[in-house]
Amino acid sequence: MENNYRHEWKHEINYADMLVLRARLGAVAKPDPFAANGKYLVRSLYFDTADDKALREKIDGVNMREKFRIRYYNDDIAFIRLEKKSKRNGLGTKYSARLTAPQVQKILDGDIDFLMDSDNSLLQEFYAKIRYQGLRPRTIVDYTREPFVYDAGNVRVTMDYDIRTSLNCAAFLDPDCVTIPAGDAPSILEVKWDAYLPSIIRDAVQLPGRRVSAFSKYAQCRIYG
């Protein structure tokens, strides 16, 4: 289970920035083919230990860290993934495995033995860390994403906004789960690429007064508990 580590920039942006970026990126990059009308809704359930290991490591800027989440899009629980995000020396990678809605419900109910019996190494690792590190659901994170792709450099640029949260983790699969704004959360520009970032994209995402940020949607959504 070996993935390439990718470069990543994050910038906190405002609505005016989004209008500029939307126009620039629309001229040089392609909309993500999976986005309907240029956007989609993201819902994630983040896991952490009782002493908030993932949250503390993010806040402290630990060089090597990881976090687990379960995610689906556009209220469609027919396609759900477990994802493990890892950071090393400022670079990031992601591993994923499919889960069914009934399997996710089992996890929410604490019935996790099926993970141990899986032939998927990520599901087995998730089982071990629930069992021995005490990983548990901590918060739901919802937001709207506008994604763009650029083939050279395998670049993906996203604008995420309307970040919302709920502590009612048991309602993760319910599209009518009530969420609330995650404090005064900004909109976030993310740029990810492999070996190099083409200058046409580098120029398109430059905004005066905007610098690379360590913003975390998970950390922002933990402000309520």
Side-chain angles (χ1 to χ4, degrees):
M1 188 172 66
E2 188 62 38
N3 281 18
N4 291 328
Y5 277 80
R6 284 162 57 80
H7 300 266
E8 178 179 306
W9 281 347
K10 288 185 182 180
H11 299 264
E12 297 183 21
I13 57 175
N14 59 32
Y15 183 69
D17 296 331
M18 286 181 57
L19 295 178
V20 171
L21 290 166
R22 207 176 271 152
R24 289 181 186 172
L25 292 166
V28 299
K30 298 180 295 186
D32 185 315
F34 298 106
N37 300 315
K39 65 182 70 172
Y40 50 78
L41 303 177
V42 183
R43 169 165 289 182
S44 301
L45 177 65
Y46 281 85
F47 289 74
D48 211 337
T49 62
D51 62 349
D52 293 326
K53 179 176 183 288
L55 180 62
R56 288 187 293 103
E57 289 182 348
K58 170 62 182 178
I59 292 171
D60 294 343
V62 172
N63 193 42
M64 295 180 63
R65 59 185 190 270
E66 66 183 27
K67 61 179 175 242
F68 285 86
R69 68 191 180 203
I70 298 175
R71 170 172 287 189
Y72 62 95
Y73 302 89
N74 293 328
D75 297 331
D76 180 11
I77 60 173
F79 185 85
I80 309 175
R81 290 188 301 197
L82 169 69
E83 297 180 342
K84 172 189 170 184
K85 287 195 70 177
S86 297
K87 280 278 190 166
R88 179 188 300 167
N89 300 324
L91 302 179
T93 193
K94 182 170 66 177
Y95 308 91
S96 64
R98 286 288 301 271
L99 287 169
T100 66
Q103 287 174 330
V104 174
Q105 188 59 54
K106 281 189 170 186
I107 293 169
L108 294 173
D109 294 339
D111 180 6
I112 62 169
D113 287 349
F114 77 93
L115 295 168
M116 177 181 62
D117 298 332
S118 169
D119 58 3
N120 182 283
S121 59
L122 181 60
L123 297 184
Q124 292 173 351
E125 179 185 354
F126 189 45
Y127 169 84
K129 288 178 176 174
I130 292 174
R131 182 67 72 204
Y132 301 113
Q133 291 186 5
L135 280 185
R136 58 178 180 172
R138 295 309 301 260
T139 191
I140 293 172
V141 177
D142 283 356
Y143 56 91
T144 300
R145 167 164 282 181
E146 292 187 28
F148 296 85
V149 294
Y150 191 81
D151 292 339
N154 189 24
V155 178
R156 182 173 177 82
V157 182
T158 57
M159 292 186 292
D160 298 337
Y161 52 91
D162 191 21
I163 301 171
R164 302 176 65 84
T165 185
S166 172
L167 296 178
N168 184 15
C169 297
F172 174 65
L173 295 173
D174 180 2
D176 296 322
C177 170
V178 175
T179 60
I180 60 175
D184 190 21
S187 299
I188 301 297
L189 169 71
E190 294 188 8
V191 186
K192 298 179 182 178
W193 70 96
D194 286 345
Y196 72 101
L197 180 63
S199 59
I200 193 169
I201 298 296
R202 185 184 297 268
D203 292 343
V205 300
Q206 291 300 316
L207 295 165
R210 300 287 180 254
R211 290 180 169 79
V212 175
S213 164
F215 182 87
S216 163
K217 288 186 280 287
Y218 168 60
Q220 179 70 26
C221 288
R222 286 295 307 277
I223 62 173
Y224 299 121

